[in-house]
Short mmCIF file of all heavy atoms in Angstrom, two decimals:
data_model
loop_
_atom_site.label_atom_id
_atom_site.label_comp_id
_atom_site.label_asym_id
_atom_site.label_seq_id
_atom_site.Cartn_x
_atom_site.Cartn_y
_atom_site.Cartn_z
N ARG A 1 0.83 -1.21 0.00
CA ARG A 1 0.00 0.00 0.00
C ARG A 1 0.86 1.26 0.00
O ARG A 1 0.57 2.22 -0.71
CB ARG A 1 -0.92 0.01 1.22
CG ARG A 1 -2.01 -1.04 1.13
CD ARG A 1 -2.84 -1.02 2.38
NE ARG A 1 -2.80 -2.40 2.87
CZ ARG A 1 -3.16 -2.77 4.06
NH1 ARG A 1 -3.59 -1.88 4.93
NH2 ARG A 1 -3.11 -4.03 4.41
N VAL A 2 1.91 1.23 0.81
CA VAL A 2 2.80 2.40 0.89
C VAL A 2 3.48 2.63 -0.46
O VAL A 2 3.53 3.77 -0.95
CB VAL A 2 3.84 2.22 2.01
CG1 VAL A 2 4.89 3.30 1.96
CG2 VAL A 2 3.16 2.19 3.36
N TRP A 3 3.98 1.57 -1.07
CA TRP A 3 4.65 1.72 -2.36
C TRP A 3 3.67 2.19 -3.43
O TRP A 3 4.04 2.95 -4.33
CB TRP A 3 5.33 0.44 -2.80
CG TRP A 3 6.60 0.18 -2.04
CD1 TRP A 3 6.85 -0.83 -1.16
CD2 TRP A 3 7.78 0.99 -2.04
NE1 TRP A 3 8.11 -0.69 -0.64
CE2 TRP A 3 8.70 0.42 -1.16
CE3 TRP A 3 8.14 2.16 -2.71
CZ2 TRP A 3 9.96 0.94 -0.94
CZ3 TRP A 3 9.39 2.69 -2.47
CH2 TRP A 3 10.29 2.08 -1.60
N SER A 4 2.41 1.76 -3.36
CA SER A 4 1.45 2.22 -4.36
C SER A 4 1.17 3.72 -4.21
O SER A 4 1.04 4.43 -5.21
CB SER A 4 0.15 1.42 -4.29
OG SER A 4 -0.55 1.69 -3.09
N ILE A 5 1.11 4.19 -2.98
CA ILE A 5 0.91 5.63 -2.75
C ILE A 5 2.12 6.41 -3.24
O ILE A 5 1.98 7.44 -3.93
CB ILE A 5 0.64 5.92 -1.26
CG1 ILE A 5 -0.72 5.36 -0.86
CG2 ILE A 5 0.71 7.42 -0.97
CD1 ILE A 5 -0.96 5.35 0.63
N ILE A 6 3.32 5.93 -2.91
CA ILE A 6 4.54 6.60 -3.36
C ILE A 6 4.61 6.62 -4.89
O ILE A 6 4.94 7.64 -5.50
CB ILE A 6 5.78 5.92 -2.75
CG1 ILE A 6 5.84 6.19 -1.25
CG2 ILE A 6 7.06 6.38 -3.44
CD1 ILE A 6 6.90 5.40 -0.52
N SER A 7 4.27 5.49 -5.53
CA SER A 7 4.30 5.42 -6.99
C SER A 7 3.30 6.37 -7.61
O SER A 7 3.60 7.04 -8.60
CB SER A 7 4.03 3.99 -7.46
OG SER A 7 5.06 3.14 -7.04
N THR A 8 2.11 6.44 -7.04
CA THR A 8 1.09 7.35 -7.57
C THR A 8 1.56 8.80 -7.51
O THR A 8 1.46 9.54 -8.49
CB THR A 8 -0.23 7.19 -6.79
OG1 THR A 8 -0.68 5.84 -6.90
CG2 THR A 8 -1.29 8.14 -7.31
N ILE A 9 2.09 9.18 -6.37
CA ILE A 9 2.58 10.56 -6.21
C ILE A 9 3.74 10.81 -7.17
O ILE A 9 3.81 11.86 -7.81
CB ILE A 9 2.99 10.83 -4.75
CG1 ILE A 9 1.75 10.79 -3.85
CG2 ILE A 9 3.72 12.15 -4.61
CD1 ILE A 9 2.05 10.75 -2.37
N THR A 10 4.64 9.85 -7.29
CA THR A 10 5.79 10.00 -8.18
C THR A 10 5.35 10.14 -9.63
O THR A 10 5.84 11.02 -10.35
CB THR A 10 6.74 8.79 -8.03
OG1 THR A 10 7.17 8.71 -6.68
CG2 THR A 10 7.94 8.91 -8.94
N TYR A 11 4.44 9.28 -10.07
CA TYR A 11 4.00 9.34 -11.46
C TYR A 11 3.21 10.62 -11.75
O TYR A 11 3.33 11.18 -12.84
CB TYR A 11 3.20 8.11 -11.85
CG TYR A 11 4.06 6.87 -11.92
CD1 TYR A 11 3.69 5.70 -11.27
CD2 TYR A 11 5.27 6.86 -12.61
CE1 TYR A 11 4.49 4.58 -11.33
CE2 TYR A 11 6.07 5.74 -12.66
CZ TYR A 11 5.67 4.60 -12.03
OH TYR A 11 6.46 3.49 -12.08
N LEU A 12 2.42 11.09 -10.80
CA LEU A 12 1.72 12.35 -11.00
C LEU A 12 2.72 13.50 -11.12
O LEU A 12 2.57 14.39 -11.96
CB LEU A 12 0.74 12.62 -9.85
CG LEU A 12 -0.52 11.76 -9.84
CD1 LEU A 12 -1.32 12.02 -8.56
CD2 LEU A 12 -1.37 12.01 -11.06
N GLY A 13 3.75 13.47 -10.27
CA GLY A 13 4.79 14.47 -10.36
C GLY A 13 5.54 14.40 -11.68
O GLY A 13 5.90 15.43 -12.26
N SER A 14 5.76 13.19 -12.19
CA SER A 14 6.45 13.03 -13.47
C SER A 14 5.63 13.62 -14.61
O SER A 14 6.18 14.26 -15.51
CB SER A 14 6.72 11.55 -13.75
OG SER A 14 7.62 11.04 -12.81
N ILE A 15 4.32 13.39 -14.59
CA ILE A 15 3.46 13.93 -15.64
C ILE A 15 3.53 15.46 -15.64
O ILE A 15 3.69 16.09 -16.69
CB ILE A 15 2.01 13.43 -15.46
CG1 ILE A 15 1.95 11.94 -15.74
CG2 ILE A 15 1.05 14.20 -16.36
CD1 ILE A 15 0.64 11.28 -15.33
N VAL A 16 3.42 16.05 -14.47
CA VAL A 16 3.51 17.51 -14.37
C VAL A 16 4.88 17.98 -14.83
O VAL A 16 5.00 18.97 -15.57
CB VAL A 16 3.21 17.97 -12.92
CG1 VAL A 16 3.51 19.45 -12.75
CG2 VAL A 16 1.77 17.66 -12.54
N ALA A 17 5.93 17.27 -14.42
CA ALA A 17 7.29 17.65 -14.81
C ALA A 17 7.48 17.59 -16.32
O ALA A 17 8.11 18.48 -16.90
CB ALA A 17 8.30 16.75 -14.11
N PHE A 18 6.93 16.57 -16.98
CA PHE A 18 7.06 16.46 -18.43
C PHE A 18 6.37 17.62 -19.13
O PHE A 18 6.89 18.19 -20.09
CB PHE A 18 6.49 15.14 -18.94
CG PHE A 18 7.27 13.93 -18.54
CD1 PHE A 18 6.63 12.73 -18.29
CD2 PHE A 18 8.66 13.98 -18.39
CE1 PHE A 18 7.34 11.61 -17.91
CE2 PHE A 18 9.38 12.86 -18.02
CZ PHE A 18 8.72 11.67 -17.79
N ILE A 19 5.19 17.97 -18.66
CA ILE A 19 4.44 19.08 -19.26
C ILE A 19 5.19 20.39 -19.05
O ILE A 19 5.39 21.16 -19.99
CB ILE A 19 3.01 19.15 -18.68
CG1 ILE A 19 2.22 17.92 -19.11
CG2 ILE A 19 2.31 20.43 -19.11
CD1 ILE A 19 0.90 17.75 -18.38
N VAL A 20 5.61 20.64 -17.84
CA VAL A 20 6.29 21.89 -17.53
C VAL A 20 7.65 21.96 -18.24
O VAL A 20 8.01 23.01 -18.79
CB VAL A 20 6.46 22.07 -16.00
CG1 VAL A 20 7.35 23.24 -15.65
CG2 VAL A 20 5.10 22.22 -15.34
N ALA A 21 8.39 20.85 -18.25
CA ALA A 21 9.71 20.85 -18.89
C ALA A 21 9.59 21.09 -20.39
O ALA A 21 10.40 21.84 -20.96
CB ALA A 21 10.42 19.53 -18.63
N GLY A 22 8.60 20.49 -21.02
CA GLY A 22 8.41 20.72 -22.46
C GLY A 22 8.11 22.17 -22.76
O GLY A 22 8.68 22.76 -23.69
N PHE A 23 7.22 22.75 -21.98
CA PHE A 23 6.89 24.17 -22.17
C PHE A 23 8.11 25.05 -21.93
O PHE A 23 8.41 25.94 -22.74
CB PHE A 23 5.75 24.58 -21.23
CG PHE A 23 5.46 26.04 -21.26
CD1 PHE A 23 4.72 26.60 -22.28
CD2 PHE A 23 5.96 26.88 -20.27
CE1 PHE A 23 4.47 27.96 -22.32
CE2 PHE A 23 5.72 28.24 -20.29
CZ PHE A 23 4.97 28.79 -21.32
N LEU A 24 8.80 24.82 -20.82
CA LEU A 24 9.98 25.64 -20.50
C LEU A 24 11.06 25.50 -21.56
O LEU A 24 11.69 26.49 -21.94
CB LEU A 24 10.53 25.27 -19.13
CG LEU A 24 9.73 25.72 -17.92
CD1 LEU A 24 10.34 25.17 -16.64
CD2 LEU A 24 9.65 27.23 -17.85
N ALA A 25 11.29 24.28 -22.02
CA ALA A 25 12.32 24.07 -23.04
C ALA A 25 11.98 24.80 -24.33
O ALA A 25 12.82 25.51 -24.89
CB ALA A 25 12.51 22.58 -23.30
N ASP A 26 10.73 24.64 -24.80
CA ASP A 26 10.35 25.23 -26.08
C ASP A 26 10.14 26.73 -26.03
O ASP A 26 10.51 27.44 -26.96
CB ASP A 26 9.07 24.57 -26.60
CG ASP A 26 9.29 23.13 -27.01
OD1 ASP A 26 10.45 22.75 -27.23
OD2 ASP A 26 8.29 22.39 -27.12
N LYS A 27 9.55 27.23 -24.97
CA LYS A 27 9.14 28.64 -24.94
C LYS A 27 10.08 29.56 -24.15
O LYS A 27 10.05 30.76 -24.35
CB LYS A 27 7.73 28.76 -24.33
CG LYS A 27 6.68 27.95 -25.04
CD LYS A 27 6.47 28.45 -26.45
CE LYS A 27 5.38 27.63 -27.12
NZ LYS A 27 5.28 27.86 -28.53
N VAL A 28 10.90 29.00 -23.27
CA VAL A 28 11.76 29.85 -22.45
C VAL A 28 13.24 29.61 -22.74
O VAL A 28 13.96 30.52 -23.17
CB VAL A 28 11.47 29.63 -20.93
CG1 VAL A 28 12.41 30.46 -20.09
CG2 VAL A 28 10.01 29.95 -20.61
N PHE A 29 13.72 28.38 -22.54
CA PHE A 29 15.16 28.13 -22.61
C PHE A 29 15.70 28.02 -24.03
O PHE A 29 16.82 28.48 -24.29
CB PHE A 29 15.52 26.90 -21.79
CG PHE A 29 15.37 27.12 -20.31
CD1 PHE A 29 14.28 26.61 -19.62
CD2 PHE A 29 16.29 27.86 -19.61
CE1 PHE A 29 14.13 26.83 -18.26
CE2 PHE A 29 16.15 28.09 -18.25
CZ PHE A 29 15.06 27.57 -17.58
N ASN A 30 14.96 27.40 -24.95
CA ASN A 30 15.46 27.35 -26.33
C ASN A 30 15.64 28.74 -26.93
O ASN A 30 16.69 29.00 -27.54
CB ASN A 30 14.54 26.51 -27.22
CG ASN A 30 14.91 25.04 -27.19
OD1 ASN A 30 16.00 24.66 -26.79
ND2 ASN A 30 13.99 24.20 -27.61
N PRO A 31 14.67 29.66 -26.78
CA PRO A 31 14.91 31.02 -27.31
C PRO A 31 16.12 31.71 -26.66
O PRO A 31 16.83 32.47 -27.33
CB PRO A 31 13.61 31.77 -26.98
CG PRO A 31 12.57 30.71 -26.90
CD PRO A 31 13.28 29.51 -26.34
N LEU A 32 16.36 31.45 -25.40
CA LEU A 32 17.51 32.05 -24.73
C LEU A 32 18.83 31.51 -25.27
O LEU A 32 19.86 32.19 -25.22
CB LEU A 32 17.44 31.82 -23.23
CG LEU A 32 16.32 32.53 -22.47
CD1 LEU A 32 16.28 32.06 -21.02
CD2 LEU A 32 16.50 34.04 -22.54
N LEU A 33 18.80 30.27 -25.78
CA LEU A 33 20.02 29.63 -26.25
C LEU A 33 20.08 29.52 -27.76
O LEU A 33 20.77 28.65 -28.30
CB LEU A 33 20.17 28.25 -25.60
CG LEU A 33 20.53 28.31 -24.12
CD1 LEU A 33 20.34 26.96 -23.45
CD2 LEU A 33 21.95 28.81 -23.93
N GLU A 34 19.34 30.38 -28.47
CA GLU A 34 19.50 30.46 -29.91
C GLU A 34 20.82 31.18 -30.21
O GLU A 34 21.46 31.73 -29.31
CB GLU A 34 18.32 31.21 -30.54
CG GLU A 34 17.05 30.40 -30.49
CD GLU A 34 15.84 31.16 -31.04
OE1 GLU A 34 15.98 32.37 -31.32
OE2 GLU A 34 14.78 30.54 -31.18
N VAL A 35 21.19 31.22 -31.47
CA VAL A 35 22.48 31.80 -31.85
C VAL A 35 22.65 33.22 -31.31
O VAL A 35 23.70 33.57 -30.79
CB VAL A 35 22.65 31.78 -33.39
CG1 VAL A 35 23.94 32.48 -33.80
CG2 VAL A 35 22.64 30.35 -33.89
N ASN A 36 21.63 34.03 -31.37
CA ASN A 36 21.73 35.40 -30.85
C ASN A 36 20.89 35.58 -29.58
O ASN A 36 20.51 36.70 -29.25
CB ASN A 36 21.28 36.41 -31.91
CG ASN A 36 22.23 36.44 -33.09
OD1 ASN A 36 23.44 36.37 -32.91
ND2 ASN A 36 21.69 36.52 -34.29
N GLY A 37 20.64 34.50 -28.86
CA GLY A 37 19.83 34.58 -27.64
C GLY A 37 20.58 35.23 -26.49
O GLY A 37 21.81 35.43 -26.54
N GLN A 38 19.83 35.53 -25.44
CA GLN A 38 20.42 36.23 -24.29
C GLN A 38 21.48 35.42 -23.55
O GLN A 38 22.37 35.99 -22.92
CB GLN A 38 19.32 36.66 -23.33
CG GLN A 38 18.44 37.74 -23.88
CD GLN A 38 17.32 38.11 -22.92
OE1 GLN A 38 16.86 37.29 -22.13
NE2 GLN A 38 16.88 39.36 -22.98
N LEU A 39 21.38 34.11 -23.59
CA LEU A 39 22.37 33.27 -22.89
C LEU A 39 23.42 32.68 -23.83
O LEU A 39 24.26 31.88 -23.40
CB LEU A 39 21.66 32.14 -22.14
CG LEU A 39 20.72 32.55 -21.02
CD1 LEU A 39 20.07 31.33 -20.38
CD2 LEU A 39 21.45 33.36 -19.96
N ALA A 40 23.38 33.05 -25.10
CA ALA A 40 24.32 32.49 -26.07
C ALA A 40 25.78 32.81 -25.73
O ALA A 40 26.66 31.98 -25.90
CB ALA A 40 23.99 32.98 -27.47
N GLY A 41 26.01 34.00 -25.21
CA GLY A 41 27.38 34.41 -24.90
C GLY A 41 27.90 33.91 -23.57
O GLY A 41 29.10 33.96 -23.31
N THR A 42 27.01 33.41 -22.71
CA THR A 42 27.44 32.93 -21.39
C THR A 42 27.30 31.41 -21.31
O THR A 42 28.26 30.69 -21.54
CB THR A 42 26.62 33.62 -20.28
OG1 THR A 42 25.23 33.41 -20.52
CG2 THR A 42 26.90 35.11 -20.23
#
């Protein structure tokens, strides 16, 4: 029972993390790391 609760919480967190990471990668971090992006020089 304990492992099932831990797994449920973990998998729910993973789903949220995948959604948030995809959005952040495409809309925030990729533009910053384009050739002339704000983080390109650092």
Side-chain angles (χ1 to χ4, degrees):
R1 290 178 235 165
V2 171
W3 285 114
S4 68
I5 292 169
I6 290 171
S7 295
T8 301
I9 294 168
T10 301
Y11 291 130
L12 287 173
S14 295
I15 292 168
V16 171
F18 292 147
I19 293 169
V20 171
F23 174 79
L24 287 175
D26 291 341
K27 303 295 182 191
V28 177
F29 291 103
N30 273 342
L32 292 173
L33 288 166
E34 289 177 352
V35 176
N36 293 321
Q38 291 178 331
L39 296 179
T42 55

